[in-house]
Amino acid sequence: MNPYLKIARIDHWFKNVFMLPGFLLAWLLTNITIAESLVPAVIAVLSTCLIASANYVINEWLDAEYDRHHPVKSSRPSAAGQIQARYVFLEYILLIAAGLFLALQLHWEFVVFSVILLSMGVIYNVRPMRSKDRVYLDVLSESVNNPLRLLLGWSALVSGSLLPTSILIAYWMGGAFLMAVKRYAEYRSIQDPERAGLYRRSFRFYTERTLLLSAHFYAINSAFFLAIFLIKYRIELLLSFPLFAVLFVWYLAIGMRPHSAAQDPETLYRERGFIAYVFFIVLVVMLLLVVDLPWLHFLVEPLRY
């Protein structure tokens, strides 16, 4: 059973931490309490983890022929020929069934976003679409999962309304930035453009320069829409903006290191300074949510001549 547990990538479940802001926004913007939302939140996380694992299963199975050209991923169970198609298919169906069963215990919006998350796994991995082979679209389609996780966190607790477009786009572009840095770190680590193209088809068109430029583009867009959200909904949050700017730069610096943790985000916990800084930002944001600073409103008031 061990190879089949590995391809479910349980160690990647931590990525569903991106649901947390959805929960927080629900607590802040609605009347729902933490106590009454605890059970739905736990169900939502478990459901999303199972659906994410279903996507990981088909990802690993369909990537086997490409992973054999990667210096590390060639040892994955699928690339090493340790698993069989019929059991992979069975595991995929069981994970979907379990994930959607839990989703059905929550609001209908949560079920819809869960199905979209599953669909993105198909679009990303399955021919003829297989967006992961297409330059730039590989990053943009994979990073759609970020705002989806945000919406899953929100819709687990709230029905009948959606989050503002500005924060959804900021989340999407932020995820695209993370993914572009991951691609950059992967491309550099292989150190052979031809072999990189065999491992990932989009690498036939990327270069280190274009990957860095695209990451810069995504970061600018994420920052722009984040600023719109902060100014529109609570001006005090604008004071946290420089902290987010440092976060982007710090992560890019991590991505530039040899054998970077950005290649395998599940190992990012080893970057203790970075993780501590993320918690610091969370604390600052929570403080700014309860502290009123009326003098900051001059930033959004028009000048009178």
Side-chain angles (χ1 to χ4, degrees), residues 31-287:
N31 295 324
I32 191 169
T33 65
I34 295 178
E36 66 182 322
S37 62
L38 186 59
V39 172
V42 171
I43 293 174
V45 171
L46 288 174
S47 172
T48 305
C49 286
L50 291 169
I51 288 171
S53 281
N55 285 342
Y56 292 139
V57 164
I58 60 166
N59 176 285
E60 179 138 348
W61 175 251
L62 295 175
D63 276 4
E65 62 179 292
Y66 304 103
D67 286 345
R68 294 187 182 103
H69 299 285
H70 191 277
V72 176
K73 294 181 180 180
S74 56
S75 62
R76 283 180 169 178
S78 184
Q82 299 172 356
I83 55 179
Q84 298 180 41
R86 56 182 174 176
Y87 296 126
V88 171
F89 183 72
L90 177 62
E91 181 178 9
Y92 179 61
I93 295 300
L94 289 175
L95 286 168
I96 290 176
L100 290 182
F101 173 78
L102 290 173
L104 287 167
Q105 314 309 308
L106 303 172
H107 299 302
W108 67 267
E109 292 97 334
F110 185 88
V111 179
V112 170
F113 293 130
S114 297
V115 171
I116 294 174
L117 183 61
L118 277 169
S119 301
M120 291 309 301
V122 173
I123 291 170
Y124 188 67
N125 292 289
V126 181
R127 294 187 179 96
M129 294 170 286
R130 196 168 165 83
S131 62
K132 72 186 305 176
D133 288 341
R134 307 181 188 280
V135 66
Y136 300 119
L137 186 60
D138 62 333
V139 168
L140 291 171
S141 61
E142 170 69 2
S143 55
V144 166
N145 292 340
N146 267 32
L148 276 176
R149 286 186 172 98
L150 182 65
L151 286 167
L152 285 165
W154 169 266
S155 62
L157 308 182
V158 180
S159 181
S161 63
L162 293 178
L163 287 167
T165 305
S166 55
I167 191 62
L168 293 176
I169 297 177
Y171 231 64
W172 180 27
M173 291 293 100
F177 167 78
L178 298 177
M179 186 58 59
V181 173
K182 178 182 178 180
R183 293 280 186 272
Y184 171 78
E186 283 182 327
Y187 189 87
R188 289 187 71 202
S189 69
I190 296 174
Q191 297 181 338
D192 182 351
E194 184 175 348
R195 187 179 182 187
L198 292 172
Y199 156 62
R200 190 180 294 279
R201 288 190 176 184
S202 60
F203 279 168
R204 298 175 184 177
F205 308 97
Y206 282 129
T207 64
E208 289 186 27
R209 180 174 176 271
T210 57
L211 283 165
L212 278 179
L213 290 173
S214 66
H216 186 63
F217 172 82
Y218 302 136
I220 290 174
N221 277 276
S222 181
F224 177 77
F225 285 100
L226 177 63
I228 291 175
F229 175 77
L230 298 181
I231 293 171
K232 187 174 180 179
Y233 290 94
R234 186 165 176 82
I235 191 66
E236 286 80 4
L237 288 172
L238 199 60
L239 294 177
S240 67
F241 193 81
L243 300 179
F244 284 104
V246 171
L247 191 70
F248 277 101
V249 174
W250 195 337
Y251 192 82
L252 181 58
I254 291 173
M256 288 181 164
R257 296 176 191 166
H259 311 294
S260 168
Q263 292 183 70
D264 303 294
E266 65 274 12
T267 66
L268 200 60
Y269 66 89
R270 298 173 185 171
E271 299 287 340
R272 295 181 181 178
F274 181 79
I275 297 300
Y277 184 71
V278 170
F279 279 106
F280 172 70
I281 290 180
V282 172
L283 291 174
V284 170
V285 168
M286 292 176 67
L287 179 65

